Amino acid sequence: MSADTDSAPDQAPDITGLDHTTVTGWGRTAPTAARLIRPRTYEEAAAAVRECGTRGGIPRGLGRAYGDAAQNAGGAVLDMTGLDRVHAIDADGGTVLCDAGVSLHRLMEVLLPLGWFVPVTPGTRYVTVGGAIGADIHGKNHHVSGSFARHVLALELLTADGEIRTVIPGTPLFDATAGGMGLTGVILTATIRLQPVETSLMSVDTERAADLDDLMARLAATDHRYRYSVAWIDLLARGAATGRAVLTRGDHAPLDALPARLRRDALSFRTSRLPSAPAVLPEGLLSRTTVGLFNELWYRKAPRARAGQLQRISAFFHPLDGVPHWNRVYGRGGFVQYQFVVGYGQEDALRRIVRRISERRCPSFLAVLKRFGESDPGWLSFPVPGWTLALDIPAALPGLGAFLDELDEEVAAAGGRVYLAKDARLRPELLAAMYPRLDDFRTLRAELDPHGVFVSDLSRRLGL
């Protein structure tokens, strides 16, 4: 059984009493066997931590980390989705207290009718609050709002000694936990500051960019006007069209922007669902030819310029959530999502990397470019001010490992970093150059967890 691909999008499998099973990340690469434990109370969570065994344990949410961050070969994996209560909502002050196993999808269902929205959401709403903090997720609004942990007012953390600690921002333990990939302990609850909204619709502007320079110029000149901004890039386009893109930006639609027929139910949260991707797909389905055709059609169908289109929240933020198990389209070999950031002033490095990917003809139809704002306080948080590019690549692509190693070197030389929540293959010797607070993280973790209770495939591979 694969713990991330055989369950409904917002429901992890019931693993109570199971022994060992195969666990993968969302990319479905590098599966490992682990003993799965699903606590349903805080006491059961504490007992699970005590019983992790010599190979330790790692908390896991809904399995949307792409790589090996929530795997633990030969050890224990604590599925925290059984702890999923929303404890309290302050509808006047705009905060929510909930268990770490609550998904962002569930929060949207509960909060939107009250006029509140989650402060940050990634490209899927099927992420738990604990996972959002552990990976310090970012969204299309990082240039305005930062990453998720910036909006956490307090959390309860179950540490290796069995103690439950209240952790607040501005403390070393908070900064180690935000982006710490579950290695400081098990997050049990969190209090989150919310974003007020008048409707559950988005007002969206869309336009085409002819090439990478055109795209970067548009983003740099106008991002400050929008709360949310993202660009899809055609990474198979070459020559004068290298980096051509569709730029999508928007904000929560105010009530007076809605036609009368929509105002009566302005805060309803509606989603749509397409058929699930088949469990088995023909190998080679995502070839350079088929992806190139898709990219051409996607670019051509986008409007040259369109303003003020009303879209559902689910369509704007989470289009792929409408296709359950979409990760299967890459075939049995799975896929690698590669995401890096390079700082402002390193635009030439970004141009070189985009050009190299384009010349390599990597068949990626999911490639996005965004701008990050100020750095977040987490010692291992990914965002720094600059340009971030994320792309999906079939793992079976010949020579992919060596090619990405070369890109890692270029990213590190430019003072950039790769995103640990999506990584499954980074070489450990590059980690310190990418994350300058790495030694602080290792020191605190050694003091907090001297016997290595919390461990993952990611932490072993990178020496975290």
Side-chain angles (χ1 to χ4, degrees):
M1 181 181 88
S2 175
D4 67 315
T5 59
D6 294 331
S7 57
D10 195 23
Q11 180 182 351
D14 186 348
I15 57 176
T16 304
L18 291 182
D19 190 9
H20 283 75
T21 191
T22 301
V23 180
T24 72
W26 191 244
R28 305 176 75 216
T29 60
T32 55
R35 182 166 55 93
L36 287 168
I37 307 170
R38 192 184 193 196
R40 299 182 185 276
T41 66
Y42 305 149
E43 292 77 16
E44 288 182 7
V49 168
R50 289 194 299 269
E51 297 166 7
C52 279
T54 57
R55 293 285 289 181
I58 192 71
R60 179 183 178 93
L62 285 165
R64 278 348 190 237
Y66 285 78
D68 54 3
Q71 300 173 213
N72 183 20
V77 170
L78 281 61
D79 180 338
M80 298 302 296
T81 57
L83 290 169
D84 59 356
R85 292 169 295 174
V86 177
H87 293 283
I89 300 171
D90 181 351
D92 295 322
T95 62
V96 61
L97 168 63
C98 63
D99 283 344
V102 173
S103 70
L104 299 191
H105 174 86
R106 178 59 181 154
L107 286 183
M108 291 177 199
E109 288 182 323
V110 171
L111 296 171
L112 272 168
L114 302 176
W116 297 99
F117 189 61
V118 294
V120 173
T121 178
T124 175
R125 60 187 179 273
Y126 297 117
V127 174
T128 62
V129 167
I133 299 170
D136 203 9
I137 59 171
H138 57 271
K140 300 175 182 178
N141 60 338
H142 190 276
H143 63 292
V144 173
S145 303
S147 58
F148 193 89
R150 193 182 295 184
H151 305 272
V152 175
L153 303 177
L155 59 88
E156 289 183 306
L157 186 71
L158 172 63
T159 50
D161 56 7
E163 182 180 346
I164 297 177
R165 308 181 187 214
T166 299
V167 186
I168 60 173
T171 63
L173 185 52
F174 187 94
D175 292 346
T177 301
M181 307 310 298
L183 295 170
T184 61
V186 179
I187 299 170
L188 297 177
T189 70
T191 302
I192 305 161
R193 183 176 53 246
L194 304 170
Q195 168 70 33
V197 295
E198 294 182 14
T199 75
S200 61
L201 294 174
M202 305 296 297
S203 177
V204 181
D205 295 353
T206 305
E207 60 190 83
R208 288 191 215 164
D211 56 36
L212 183 61
D213 284 339
D214 182 27
L215 172 61
M216 289 194 294
R218 291 171 187 253
L219 286 167
T222 61
D223 254 9
H224 66 280
R225 302 177 190 167
Y226 299 90
R227 179 173 294 275
Y228 303 100
S229 179
V230 68
W232 169 87
I233 296 187
D234 181 2
L235 288 177
L236 284 176
R238 291 186 290 182
T242 298
R244 68 179 181 177
V246 177
L247 179 56
T248 306
R249 294 169 292 187
D251 208 334
H252 298 279
L255 187 62
D256 60 13
L258 272 57
R261 62 183 176 81
L262 295 178
R263 294 182 191 180
R264 293 188 296 270
D265 200 17
L267 287 168
S268 64
F269 178 48
R270 296 188 179 94
T271 63
S272 57
R273 233 175 134 165
L274 298 173
S276 177
V280 179
L281 287 165
E283 295 297 327
L285 180 66
L286 294 183
S287 66
R288 293 184 177 95
T289 299
T290 57
V291 173
L293 178 60
F294 171 88
N295 286 3
E296 181 70 26
L297 293 173
W298 191 262
Y299 181 77
R300 294 296 175 189
K301 85 174 187 65
R304 293 185 182 276
R306 180 177 61 199
Q309 182 191 28
L310 293 177
Q311 292 184 9
R312 292 179 183 177
I313 274 175
S314 57
F316 180 76
F317 289 106
H318 316 118
L320 285 175
D321 282 347
V323 185
H325 310 305
W326 64 263
N327 56 343
R328 292 173 178 169
V329 303
Y330 292 89
R332 295 184 184 278
F335 70 100
V336 172
Q337 180 160 109
Y338 185 69
Q339 183 168 8
F340 67 90
V341 58
V342 293
Y344 296 125
Q346 294 293 332
E347 286 76 13
D348 283 346
L350 176 63
R351 293 185 184 97
R352 286 193 302 271
I353 292 172
V354 168
R355 189 162 48 247
R356 291 185 65 179
I357 295 170
S358 175
E359 292 171 350
R360 183 71 164 66
R361 306 290 288 161
C362 293
S364 177
F365 69 93
L366 291 174
V368 296
L369 182 73
K370 294 181 290 194
R371 282 163 48 93
F372 281 157
E374 294 181 8
S375 298
D376 297 290
W379 292 343
L380 297 186
S381 291
F382 170 64
V384 294
W387 305 90
T388 179
L389 177 65
L391 61 149
D392 290 354
I393 313 172
L397 189 69
L400 179 61
F403 177 65
L404 293 182
D405 284 347
E406 293 172 2
L407 295 190
D408 289 342
E409 296 279 359
E410 187 141 11
V411 168
R417 58 183 58 165
V418 300
Y419 192 14
L420 298 183
K422 296 182 177 180
D423 177 59
R425 30 129 326 262
L426 179 68
R427 302 197 315 273
E429 58 267 26
L430 292 178
L431 194 63
M434 293 181 173
Y435 289 90
R437 300 298 300 271
L438 178 62
D439 284 344
D440 293 328
F441 179 82
R442 285 171 169 162
T443 299
L444 184 143
R445 187 168 173 242
E447 296 172 354
L448 190 68
D449 183 10
H451 303 295
V453 172
F454 295 110
V455 64
S456 65
D457 291 353
L458 174 79
S459 71
R460 288 192 187 93
R461 175 169 56 84
L462 293 179
L464 292 172

